[in-house]
């Protein structure tokens, strides 16, 4: 009984911290109209439809997997909500970049490691939808494109790194690399999307991709490293506060 009370208190502290950051970032977001999420109406209509089509199969599979997790392991619902809140808060933290744009962490690596990339595609989409509606971050017409870069590419990179390295490197190192590379490759995907929609008049796709990539590289590389460190800290905190839930998800918690 005492352990359960301590566990609830720790989860409560985490929830209060996340809530405070959400309120803070909601205020900041309204003050910064230019974000790294592709803005409402910025993509041509055909490209917007294309990315919705790409994201659709991931949404279908992800929704089914989330239903399965909630039905078979209802005790992990609190952890599922925390993963979504973590993603919301980190992706709302915007750092000014050059040319008036901004960069931010993505926060999708943690949820992908806990629940898999398809489930994280749904959590990430919900986060993007709320950000578009509540804090003018991203947009509805660009929801498919932003989902692909942040909620599909990032989670699959994180899980790929995890599966490739979890038996070869210390756990903290693997979590750091998974979260950092998920963040970084998500931005590479966004640069690719923008370059496809707006190729350079003389250099074409390659020149445009290089330009967009360099705009965000200055701030995104240190942000990716910072997100990796923060994800390790949160992951270790969850190993202390929610070890049983992590074991139910098949995640090692002893080393």
């Amino acid at each position: 009984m005492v352990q359960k009370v301590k566990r609830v208190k720790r989860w409560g502290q985490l929830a209060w911290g996340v809530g405070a950051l959400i309120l803070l970032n909601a205020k900041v977001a309204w003050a910064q109209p230019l974000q790294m999420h592709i803005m409402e109406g910025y993509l041509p209509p055909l490209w917007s439809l294309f990315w919705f089509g790409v994201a659709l199969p991931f949404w279908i599979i992800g929704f089914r997997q989330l239903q399965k997790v909630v039905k078979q392991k209802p005790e992990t619902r609190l952890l599922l909500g925390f993963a979504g809140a973590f993603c919301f808060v980190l992706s709302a933290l915007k750092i000014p970049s050059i040319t008036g744009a901004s960069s931010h962490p993505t926060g999708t690596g943690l949820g992908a490691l806990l629940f898999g990339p398809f489930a994280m595609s749904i959590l990430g989409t919900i986060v993007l939808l709320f950000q578009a509606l509540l804090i003018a971050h991203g947009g509805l017409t660009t929801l498919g494109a932003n989902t692909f870069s942040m909620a599909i590419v990032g989670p699959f990179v994180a899980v790929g790194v995890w599966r490739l390295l979890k038996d070869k490197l210390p756990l903290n190192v693997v979590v750091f690399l998974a979260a950092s590379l998920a963040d970084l490759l998500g931005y590479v995907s966004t640069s690719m999307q923008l370059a496809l929609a707006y190729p350079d008049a003389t250099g074409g796709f390659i020149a445009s991709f290089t330009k967009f990539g360099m705009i965000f590289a200055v701030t995104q590389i240190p942000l990716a490293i910072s997100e990796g460190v923060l994800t390790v800290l949160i992951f270790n905190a969850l190993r202390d506060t929610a070890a049983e839930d992590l074991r139910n998800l098949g995640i090692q918690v002893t080393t």
Side-chain angles (χ1 to χ4, degrees), residues 19-31:
L21 285 172
I22 288 174
L23 292 175
L24 174 63
N25 285 297
K27 181 178 180 181
V28 173
W30 283 110

Side-chain angles (χ1 to χ4, degrees), residues 194-223:
L194 295 173
L196 286 172
Y198 299 102
D200 187 77
T202 55
F205 168 80
I206 298 298
S208 184
F209 175 78
T210 302
K211 177 185 68 177
F212 283 117
M214 291 182 64
I215 286 175
F216 298 101
V218 175
T219 51
Q220 199 56 41
I221 291 175
L223 275 177

Side-chain angles (χ1 to χ4, degrees), residues 22-223:
I22 288 174
L23 292 175
L24 174 63
N25 285 297
K27 181 178 180 181
V28 173
W30 283 110
Q32 296 182 5
L34 295 177
Q35 313 96 12
M36 181 54 194
H37 287 345
I38 301 176
M39 293 180 293
E40 181 70 67
Y42 190 76
L43 288 179
L46 288 179
W47 278 112
S48 293
L49 291 174
F50 173 80
W51 293 115
F52 271 103
V54 171
L56 183 59
F58 295 91
W59 286 334
I60 294 173
I61 298 173
F63 182 73
R64 291 175 178 173
Q65 289 196 358
L66 268 185
Q67 280 186 316
K68 184 178 179 181
V69 169
V70 172
K71 183 178 180 179
Q72 295 182 354
K73 302 174 182 178
E75 67 279 0
T76 62
R77 286 179 294 182
L78 191 58
L79 191 58
L80 187 67
F82 180 79
F86 181 76
C87 178
F88 184 100
V89 170
L90 283 200
S91 58
L93 287 167
K94 291 180 291 300
I95 307 298
S97 184
I98 59 176
T99 70
S102 63
S103 297
H104 59 77
T106 62
T108 59
L110 178 66
L113 295 182
L114 297 177
F115 295 99
F118 285 103
M120 192 61 220
S121 71
I122 298 297
L123 289 181
T125 301
I126 294 172
V127 166
L128 289 166
L129 182 61
F130 272 87
Q131 288 177 343
L133 294 175
L134 299 179
I135 60 176
H137 194 177
L140 298 180
T141 61
T142 56
L143 182 63
N146 289 328
T147 295
F148 176 79
S149 61
M150 190 181 88
I152 295 176
V153 171
F156 272 89
V157 169
V159 172
V161 171
W162 172 269
R163 292 179 178 176
L164 182 65
L165 300 177
K166 66 177 181 178
D167 297 324
K168 301 176 182 178
L169 294 174
L171 186 61
N172 285 344
V173 175
V174 178
V175 172
F176 169 79
L177 291 175
S180 298
L181 292 176
D183 178 299
L184 207 53
L185 269 295
Y187 278 85
V188 171
S189 299
T190 300
S191 298
M192 176 268 294
Q193 291 172 320
L194 295 173
L196 286 172
Y198 299 102
D200 187 77
T202 55
F205 168 80
I206 298 298
S208 184
F209 175 78
T210 302
K211 177 185 68 177
F212 283 117
M214 291 182 64
I215 286 175
F216 298 101
V218 175
T219 51
Q220 199 56 41
I221 291 175
L223 275 177

